[in-house]
Amino acid sequence: MLACSGSKKYFKAAEKLEKQGLVNEAANYYLESLQRKNSNVDARMKLSQVGQKYVNNMASEFFRNHSTQQVEAALESYERMIDFTEKTKALEVKLDYPKAYDDDYKENIEKFCEKNYNQAYNLVNIKSFTNSRKHINNVKKYNPNYKDIANLDIISVCEPLYQNAVSALENKNYQSAASLLNSIANKSPDYKDTKDLIELTNSTMGKNMLFFTPTNTTNKNEKELEEYYFNQFSQSAQQKYKNLKIINNTPFTKINNATDINNSGNIDLIQAIRKASNADLFFIFDVADYKENDNGGQKFLQKGYQEIKTKVNDTLTKTDYKEFSYYSIKHAKSVSIQYHFKLINAYTNQIIKSNTQTFSANDAIDYNQFANKNNMNINSLYPYNPLMTAQANQFNPRNWRSSFSNPRNLKSTSELQIEINNKVVQSFNSSLTNVVN
């Protein structure tokens, strides 16, 4: 209905415009009317008549612009004409224009590309790269393979980035240089010596990080988690941070009281480790207070009532409520750990980041279960006897009924541990944010 009313609205507006002699505007409104309702016969007829006049006007406009060497205006009027005729063709309304104009259009394209190519070429040569972009895009719009426009395109984008990258390297602004060089590589990986500069920048920005794990952990679960995280952290860091090298195979990864390595009394030790391992960063972590909780499941015997209707005669039905037994079952399980880490600048012995977090995961199930096998219709059951319960104490039994089909499978301890592990690894990655690039 909305489409129909919209079609009528545009049709009436088109008629008014046509009466005022505004053929071009009327044609577009008739087109809109037919687009909104393809079965609008009046709109189809009018579009065929008025639309052809509009096409004739645009054809004349194109010829005039072409004859007077107004190349851009000629292209604009021709493309507007083609766009309109394609839209009407899709609606099965065929409109015609002189096909000889197709060759004239191609001639204008050639002139347009030649003019813009020459302007782009001159601007690139005088290093006016920003101003050249408009002309390069004008050529690419019609012919991306025109002469060596592709090369001018690369130079106009990459050269200013390259110059800024070189300047950033000279000023030891490696992060900025890396960003600029990566932008060049996205446009043209082989531009000048971009690959070599990226390799140089990455090696300059690269950092070595030495992991420490505690040696005094006695809890079996905590010790296993520390070993697991040690491997996961190493893998995650190497995948996520290209400029970070992980050191995890030296004799320093396991030392006594690793969590206190940055204490003032350990300056000599930490500097000795730094020099021996060539580390820029120390990452120290431990797991504590591992807990598993399982309430074992709680099972409560409850009473419910089944609605039973008995036909007394053809017009009378008696309703009673029969008591039945069911179990209300609740079971909950949880796992939690305390995770502590320190990220230390190996040169200054200063803590960059440090935090202690408790990570936990839990699951619970809550459902009802019939005490005996039965074939009762669930929709006939109530948690109370409607005949014996005050109206104010009655409630919609829908949720109670649905609890007989609630999920009954509790997640395992290992599944809960996986959830915690994912959170810990995510925390580790976050701890390196803005420190390692």
Side-chain angles (χ1 to χ4, degrees):
M1 291 299 293
L2 289 174
C4 294
S5 62
S7 178
K8 292 179 181 178
K9 180 179 69 174
Y10 276 93
F11 183 83
K12 290 180 179 179
E15 285 185 316
K16 291 181 180 179
L17 290 168
E18 184 184 1
K19 290 178 181 179
Q20 296 171 7
L22 301 174
V23 174
N24 298 352
E25 292 81 358
N28 280 291
Y29 271 69
Y30 283 129
L31 173 64
E32 182 69 28
S33 177
L34 188 58
Q35 285 177 328
R36 287 173 175 264
K37 187 182 179 184
N38 192 266
S39 60
N40 189 330
V41 178
D42 292 335
R44 183 176 298 277
M45 292 179 59
K46 278 293 187 178
L47 179 60
S48 178
Q49 299 168 5
V50 180
Q52 186 60 60
K53 293 179 182 178
Y54 179 40
V55 170
N56 293 341
N57 290 342
M58 288 187 285
S60 299
E61 181 183 325
F62 168 75
F63 180 75
R64 182 170 59 254
N65 291 327
H66 171 67
S67 300
T68 56
Q69 302 296 309
Q70 297 183 65
V71 175
E72 292 186 37
L75 292 175
E76 190 277 331
S77 55
Y78 179 91
E79 289 162 6
R80 187 158 32 89
M81 177 179 67
I82 294 301
D83 178 67
F84 186 81
T85 55
E86 288 295 326
K87 288 179 179 178
T88 60
K89 182 180 178 181
L91 296 169
E92 299 180 353
V93 177
K94 185 178 180 181
L95 303 176
D96 295 316
Y97 67 91
K99 294 301 182 286
Y101 287 173
D102 291 343
D103 291 334
D104 295 334
Y105 174 65
K106 293 177 182 178
E107 181 182 330
N108 279 276
I109 288 178
E110 183 65 27
K111 291 179 180 178
F112 182 77
C113 288
E114 182 179 7
K115 176 184 176 182
N116 279 275
Y117 172 82
N118 291 334
Q119 289 174 314
Y121 182 86
N122 292 332
L123 289 168
V124 168
N125 278 342
I126 63 174
K127 302 186 185 307
S128 182
F129 302 114
T130 300
N131 291 330
S132 71
R133 294 300 306 156
K134 173 185 176 182
H135 302 289
I136 290 172
N137 288 332
N138 283 342
V139 176
K140 288 172 62 181
K141 174 184 176 182
Y142 291 101
N143 187 358
N145 299 316
Y146 188 82
K147 295 184 178 180
D148 66 336
I149 194 66
N151 186 49
L152 292 181
D153 181 32
I154 290 173
I155 294 173
S156 68
V157 172
C158 295
E159 187 58 26
L161 294 173
Y162 182 86
Q163 295 299 329
N164 289 334
V166 171
S167 177
L169 286 172
E170 291 174 349
N171 293 319
K172 298 184 178 181
N173 189 348
Y174 300 115
Q175 290 186 4
S176 177
S179 177
L180 292 165
L181 290 168
N182 286 330
S183 295
I184 296 173
N186 289 334
K187 181 69 176 179
S188 177
D190 298 320
Y191 189 76
K192 292 188 174 181
D193 58 344
T194 294
K195 287 183 178 179
D196 293 335
L197 291 180
I198 288 177
E199 185 176 343
L200 172 64
T201 303
N202 288 341
S203 63
T204 303
M205 292 175 61
K207 293 182 179 180
N208 299 325
M209 185 165 73
L210 175 62
F211 275 113
F212 289 100
T213 56
T215 58
N216 56 349
T217 303
T218 57
N219 182 287
K220 179 183 177 182
N221 290 320
E222 293 170 6
K223 192 172 186 64
E224 289 179 353
L225 285 174
E226 287 170 350
E227 292 176 357
Y228 174 78
Y229 293 151
F230 185 82
N231 294 323
Q232 288 299 305
F233 291 169
S234 299
Q235 293 177 19
S236 180
Q238 289 171 344
Q239 293 172 1
K240 188 175 179 65
Y241 300 101
K242 296 181 181 179
N243 300 325
L244 181 65
K245 180 181 179 182
I246 303 300
I247 306 172
N248 58 9
N249 58 354
T250 76
F252 307 111
T253 56
K254 293 183 181 292
I255 61 174
N256 291 327
N257 300 318
T259 54
D260 297 323
I261 194 172
N262 66 302
N263 287 348
S264 58
N266 293 327
I267 293 178
D268 292 339
L269 173 62
I270 197 170
Q271 288 305 311
I273 294 175
R274 181 190 66 77
K275 292 177 182 178
S277 63
N278 196 32
D280 301 292
L281 301 167
F282 293 147
F283 191 88
I284 305 161
F285 72 94
D286 67 87
V287 174
D289 202 21
Y290 178 90
K291 292 180 180 178
E292 291 183 17
N293 291 310
D294 188 333
N295 68 3
Q298 298 172 308
K299 191 174 184 179
F300 305 98
L301 184 63
Q302 307 281 6
K303 298 294 183 182
Y305 298 87
Q306 181 186 18
E307 181 182 73
I308 298 177
K309 293 185 177 182
T310 305
K311 189 174 182 181
V312 177
N313 53 45
D314 291 341
T315 59
L316 181 62
T317 300
K318 180 183 178 182
T319 301
D320 291 313
Y321 292 89
K322 180 183 177 182
E323 185 180 281
F324 70 93
S325 298
Y326 71 94
Y327 291 107
S328 174
I329 300 173
K330 302 178 186 295
H331 194 176
K333 183 185 295 185
S334 67
V335 178
S336 66
I337 64 167
Q338 188 181 84
Y339 165 72
H340 172 66
F341 79 89
K342 288 181 182 178
L343 182 61
I344 300 171
N345 185 320
Y347 289 89
T348 64
N349 201 30
Q350 298 296 311
I351 296 177
I352 300 172
K353 291 183 179 180
S354 176
N355 197 10
T356 298
Q357 295 172 274
T358 297
F359 291 103
S360 63
N362 57 75
D363 192 22
I365 52 176
D366 184 354
Y367 64 93
N368 291 337
Q369 177 179 294
F370 293 109
N372 302 300
K373 291 183 179 180
N374 67 88
N375 56 359
M376 292 184 288
N377 179 359
I378 194 72
N379 292 321
S380 68
L381 305 182
Y382 289 82
Y384 52 82
N385 186 336
L387 296 179
M388 304 296 293
T389 304
Q391 188 68 33
N393 295 327
Q394 295 186 23
F395 56 89
N396 191 328
R398 182 183 302 168
N399 292 336
W400 175 81
R401 289 170 179 168
S402 65
S403 64
F404 282 91
S405 58
N406 280 352
R408 304 186 180 191
N409 294 323
L410 193 66
K411 290 181 181 179
S412 66
T413 300
S414 59
E415 289 176 313
L416 296 177
Q417 186 61 61
I418 289 173
E419 292 183 22
I420 292 178
N421 293 344
N422 292 336
K423 294 176 183 178
V424 173
V425 174
Q426 184 178 3
S427 173
F428 165 75
N429 289 329
S430 298
S431 67
L432 298 184
T433 303
N434 299 326
V435 178
V436 181
N437 297 296

